[in-house]
Amino acid sequence: MSEDHTHVQEFFGPRAGAWDRKFPEDGPAFVDAVDACGLRPGDRVLDAGCGTGRALPPLREAVGPSGTVLGVDLTEEMLAAARQAGRGGAGALLRADVARLPLRDGALDAVFAAGLIAHLPDPEANLRELARVVRPGGRLALFHPIGRAALAARHGRSLTPDDLRAEHNLGPLLSGSGWDMTRYADEDHRFLVLAERRA
């Protein structure tokens, strides 16, 4: 995790153009994860840390033409790659920090966050900010297209008990941020946690 946004931008910026080519088989996992969110036509949903926008088309499909889809990312190159891939038509794209979202309280029905949590400088405060912009009873999905063990192996690391995404760490973190975890799945082919915004 980094408290330095410049570091995040320096890491993701140069990789943005080739990001989708590097992970070409992730598309169906994004579709399945969005399906698991239980979105309805007309819902207002944020893709937090949207990257190249791979979740935007299935999010648009889920909420329909009457819904609202907003993609937010800190890195302009990622947003440019999303536009170049034609995903800007599925939702509005905005360069913003998920730690300080330019949205009113309770503006959204749901937040979808793929690969975001490992890059939050202050996870509890940042998850609390996501809770602020979601109505009571609204939903949060924390997703990654591969599970923790597979991701650690990809980076040449081993899983440790202090892993933020481990269930025994993430549950209390979400609870302290205004969320109740309703589902935890850590499998080889995906990591998906669903939570509900407490009233």
Side-chain angles (χ1 to χ4, degrees):
M1 285 178 270
S2 171
E3 296 181 9
D4 182 358
H5 288 165
T6 301
H7 173 76
V8 171
Q9 292 165 324
E10 287 176 351
F11 178 83
F12 285 104
R15 292 167 172 80
W19 194 261
D20 289 352
R21 292 193 302 276
K22 188 174 180 182
F23 306 106
E25 299 174 3
D26 287 351
F30 274 82
V31 172
D32 289 346
V34 169
D35 285 347
C37 293
L39 295 168
R40 296 166 296 196
D43 275 354
R44 301 154 299 169
V45 61
L46 169 68
D47 184 357
C50 66
T52 62
R54 290 177 291 176
L56 296 177
L59 288 170
R60 170 56 65 195
E61 181 70 22
V63 303
S66 64
T68 299
V69 177
L70 175 62
V72 166
D73 202 274
L74 194 61
T75 306
E76 184 56 47
E77 293 90 338
M78 282 289 189
L79 296 172
R83 293 184 190 99
Q84 187 172 3
R87 297 176 183 135
L93 293 170
L94 177 66
R95 184 173 178 265
D97 184 353
V98 298
R100 290 180 297 278
L101 290 165
L103 298 170
R104 62 178 171 79
D105 294 359
L108 304 170
D109 297 294
V111 172
F112 184 88
L116 177 69
I117 194 163
H119 301 286
L120 297 176
D122 185 344
E124 185 168 350
N126 302 151
L127 289 169
R128 193 177 302 118
E129 171 67 356
L130 295 181
R132 180 188 68 79
V133 299
V134 173
R135 63 167 176 80
R139 295 169 301 285
L140 170 68
L142 301 175
F143 166 70
H144 198 284
I146 59 175
R148 292 188 310 124
L151 185 61
R154 176 186 286 175
H155 294 293
R157 297 192 306 258
S158 299
L159 286 179
T160 60
D162 63 346
D163 183 350
L164 181 67
R165 292 161 291 191
E167 187 172 8
H168 65 269
N169 294 324
L170 190 54
L173 176 63
L174 286 166
S175 182
S177 307
W179 300 97
D180 290 321
M181 189 163 64
T182 59
R183 179 175 177 183
Y184 183 93
D186 181 17
E187 304 153 346
D188 285 345
H189 65 284
R190 74 165 173 185
F191 175 85
L192 179 64
V193 172
L194 300 179
E196 185 173 295
R197 170 74 163 89
R198 263 198 314 274

